[in-house]
Amino acid sequence: MTHDVLVIGSGAAGLTAALELAEHKKVLVLAKGKLTSGSTAWAQGGIAAVLDAGDTFDNHIRDTMVAGGGLNDRETVEFVIERAPKAIDRLCELGVPFNREEGDLHLTREGGHSHRRIVHVNDATGWAVQAALLKAAEENPNITLLPNQSCVDLVTGRNQKDYSGSGRVWGAYALDEESGKVVTHLARATVLAAGGAGRVYLFSTAPRGATGDGIAMAWRAGARVSNMEMMQFHPTCLYNLEVKNFLITEAVRGEGGRLFNPVTGERYMEKYDAERMELAPRDIVARANDDQIKRYGLDYVNLDISHQPAEFVKEHFPTIHEKLLGLGIDMTKGPIPVVPAQHYTCGGVKVDLDARTDLPGLWAAGECTESGLHGANRLASNSLLECFVFGEAAAKDILSCWDELDDPPEILPWDESRVTDSDEEVVIKQNWTEIRRFMWNYVGIVRTTKRLERAAHRIRLLRDEVEDYYGHFRVTTDLIELRNLLECANLIVTSALKRQESRGLHFTLDYPETDPIARDTVLVP
């Protein structure tokens, strides 16, 4: 199947690019699972933008750089933040019903921000944004939305009938889950917007499909990746044995929520960041929570906003309030049990300000990329913003150079002549569980060289097993995801071993100091 442009991913970055491109070109959007199954719909907090009279771009830039531990690229930070108000205007035009007060957008505050600058739709901003973008895409005759497509690999010059080592990307091979067949989708330009790699960890707020597919595919195709050791852990994920991965948004702390040790009753953030307390950046709060849990042998710590008026809490956090009530927790009357959990992949495929990757014909945007915006730690509510700005940048660059892009050549079809259906699905489940567990225990919030080396050793053992399995059996979504999870685990561990300092999200007991010069960890295939 050939289209003008192929977009891999149906979240904020992918749909932003598709809508911009569709004004002039025919666009195919592939989604793994449902069109709404990506991370965008899960984003509770909101979108950061300078909209308040007392705020400035310089303030937002400084907050982003401080949170990012100086590893951010200043030019990228300025590029994104200066385009934020326009991105919010576009979303308003699409019908996103942001909260308002007397006609003006209501702004909340989150950890690491010096001002109120988070626009939101109650505590379910991502869902409202996803719905608005999807509605616009469904109504656009130039956009074809295709769900239940699990991309296996990018199509490059190596797959041409006349072999080429150019690295030029022509689209992707994708497993159609309904037919069980691998289909070749070709295009002049491809936009990778496949999300992060959160599910490489045992505890994560990311959706089931966040298995690093885009990062792994780009790496295998020959693109560099950067700063994969910078894996953000959200400080406050609900602790509940029945409900996994339910996030308690940063905004709960932004509106006055306090952290307490459930055994001692102590409000402990003063020990870790006396000035900012609960409003310190996420890496600091996550390490504080992790330290309290390990030091006192706790299952969780308490987040308490019950000192605020009940109506205030219900009005600001209706989704969380209702969800917790169903679990027997009334956040207007008592604390919420929380634990840290993996939350955001700050590293990824290297891109420039035009969203170009190293590979001709491949652009990328969103969580699968490392643009220079987040550095060593993402500032709250900058993630959706990055999706809008770089989704648009990719589309504009593709349109500007369209006449230089060739039509796809003849591509070899997917070959499954030497494989059979799997009779050992248990292998996938076992390896998936093993990866997520050792990544949590050895490559988590606090690291040591010995733990990282142990993880690297297990990855080497599993790689042979997974590649052997991949070579003998027909691909399934589970097998594709396992292969990509292992690839991303290897990139994370390799990057973490290379960074011999502590900076932002990468904290190692063997190198607790921060180097005077900030350097990216860039891996070359």
Side-chain angles (χ1 to χ4, degrees):
M1 297 173 67
T2 305
H3 294 76
D4 291 332
V5 183
L6 173 66
V7 175
I8 300 172
S10 60
L15 292 180
T16 298
L19 288 166
E20 186 86 18
L21 287 160
E23 292 182 20
H24 305 280
K25 304 297 173 189
K26 297 278 188 186
V27 184
L28 173 65
V29 178
L30 300 182
K32 185 170 71 170
K34 296 178 184 175
L35 294 167
T36 56
S37 62
S39 294
T40 295
W42 290 46
Q44 290 178 347
I47 306 157
V50 174
L51 298 166
D52 187 52
D55 199 3
T56 64
F57 286 148
D58 282 343
N59 288 335
H60 192 177
I61 290 164
R62 185 179 61 251
D63 292 346
T64 300
M65 298 288 290
V66 169
L71 198 63
N72 330 60
D73 179 81
R74 173 101 192 182
E75 188 183 4
T76 304
V77 175
E78 291 172 358
F79 177 81
V80 173
I81 284 166
E82 288 168 6
R83 284 160 178 75
K86 185 185 168 194
I88 302 301
D89 288 343
R90 253 197 330 271
L91 292 170
C92 291
E93 288 168 14
L94 285 172
V96 177
F98 291 117
N99 287 34
R100 292 181 180 269
E101 258 182 5
E102 299 176 5
D104 294 328
L105 288 166
H106 178 265
L107 305 175
T108 189
R109 186 178 169 195
E110 295 182 344
H113 288 274
S114 58
H115 289 74
R116 286 183 171 266
R117 62 168 73 102
I118 318 298
V119 299
H120 60 106
V121 183
N122 294 326
D123 54 353
T125 308
W127 187 257
V129 168
Q130 178 78 51
L133 290 170
L134 205 48
K135 182 173 183 289
E138 286 169 342
E139 292 171 354
N140 193 308
N142 280 343
I143 296 177
T144 302
L145 298 163
L146 207 54
N148 303 311
Q149 307 293 309
S150 296
C151 288
V152 187
D153 266 317
L154 295 171
V155 173
T156 69
R158 288 179 287 190
N159 307 111
Q160 289 176 211
K161 190 174 181 186
D162 297 322
Y163 177 90
S164 166
S166 66
R168 173 67 156 92
V169 172
W170 298 109
Y173 293 115
L175 172 68
D176 182 298
E177 291 193 343
E178 288 185 20
S179 69
K181 300 292 182 188
V182 175
V183 182
T184 309
H185 297 283
L186 302 180
R188 278 204 205 182
T190 301
V191 179
L192 193 61
R199 283 302 176 133
V200 78
Y201 284 96
L202 185 62
F203 299 107
S204 173
T205 63
R208 167 68 174 74
T211 50
D213 306 329
I215 297 167
M217 287 193 298
W219 171 257
R220 287 194 293 267
R224 291 173 300 162
V225 302
S226 178
N227 296 344
M228 283 296 289
E229 73 277 26
M230 298 304 176
M231 193 62 79
Q232 186 176 71
F233 290 81
H234 198 288
T236 54
C237 182
L238 175 67
Y239 175 79
N240 185 282
L241 298 179
E242 269 72 57
V243 178
K244 305 290 187 205
N245 316 316
F246 186 70
L247 177 67
I248 308 299
T249 174
E250 187 100 4
V252 172
R253 299 200 311 283
E255 296 297 343
R258 301 165 182 169
L259 288 161
F260 292 93
N261 182 308
V263 172
T264 66
E266 179 189 19
R267 185 183 177 191
Y268 53 80
M269 274 310 299
E270 190 175 10
K271 292 180 180 177
Y272 303 93
D273 195 314
E275 184 182 342
R276 293 174 292 187
M277 300 284 283
E278 283 83 4
L279 287 175
R282 288 176 178 175
D283 59 323
I284 294 169
V285 183
R287 278 200 298 276
N289 290 355
D290 182 66
D291 183 56
Q292 289 287 309
I293 287 168
K294 287 175 176 168
R295 188 182 296 267
Y296 289 90
L298 308 172
D299 290 324
Y300 57 85
V301 292
N302 280 333
L303 176 62
D304 198 345
I305 195 171
S306 62
H307 57 280
Q308 295 281 36
E311 287 309 310
F312 174 91
V313 174
K314 289 183 207 171
E315 182 186 337
H316 279 73
F317 309 108
T319 311
I320 297 173
H321 179 255
E322 187 179 338
K323 178 79 171 180
L324 293 179
L325 275 183
L327 299 170
I329 301 166
D330 187 344
M331 66 188 290
T332 68
K333 294 180 178 176
I336 308 163
V338 295
V339 290
Q342 188 286 335
H343 185 56
Y344 192 85
T345 309
C346 288
V349 183
K350 276 193 76 66
V351 292
D352 64 15
L353 293 182
D354 291 318
R356 290 190 180 204
T357 70
D358 297 325
L359 304 177
L362 182 67
W363 286 256
E367 194 178 353
C368 66
T369 69
E370 196 280 300
S371 67
L373 174 63
H374 306 307
N377 184 16
R378 175 177 70 90
L379 183 65
S381 291
N382 271 354
S383 49
L384 285 176
L385 175 59
E386 181 184 35
C387 291
F388 306 131
V389 172
F390 276 92
E392 182 184 22
K396 285 187 170 176
D397 192 53
I398 290 167
L399 293 173
S400 72
C401 67
W402 186 256
D403 292 340
E404 301 163 26
L405 300 173
D406 297 328
D407 287 324
E410 190 174 350
I411 298 294
L412 296 170
W414 182 258
D415 180 14
E416 55 175 39
S417 59
R418 291 165 293 177
V419 295
T420 60
D421 288 326
S422 169
D423 58 355
E424 289 287 336
E425 287 290 316
V426 68
V427 173
I428 294 177
K429 188 173 183 181
Q430 164 62 28
N431 287 348
W432 174 291
T433 304
E434 188 175 339
I435 291 167
R436 296 178 69 205
R437 192 170 290 282
F438 74 64
M439 286 298 289
W440 181 259
N441 289 333
Y442 294 158
V443 199
I445 296 172
V446 176
R447 300 162 180 174
T448 66
T449 301
K450 190 176 281 281
R451 285 183 212 157
L452 292 173
E453 287 171 346
R454 283 179 178 143
H457 176 66
R458 278 157 178 76
I459 288 167
R460 286 193 292 272
L461 295 176
L462 285 173
R463 187 182 285 282
D464 291 342
E465 202 170 297
V466 171
E467 285 305 316
D468 179 66
Y469 193 98
Y470 179 78
H472 283 87
F473 298 116
R474 284 192 180 88
V475 293
T476 61
T477 295
D478 284 349
L479 177 54
I480 292 166
E481 290 182 333
L482 174 64
R483 184 174 176 237
N484 292 335
L485 272 178
L486 187 60
E487 196 72 80
C488 288
N490 186 52
L491 293 170
I492 293 165
V493 172
T494 302
S495 299
L497 282 167
K498 280 183 176 290
R499 186 172 292 281
Q500 296 186 350
E501 63 162 348
S502 289
R503 184 183 297 274
L505 299 164
H506 177 72
F507 186 81
T508 169
L509 296 175
D510 292 310
Y511 302 98
E513 302 301 318
T514 300
D515 288 347
I517 299 172
R519 297 180 181 87
D520 291 324
T521 306
V522 181
L523 302 183
V524 181

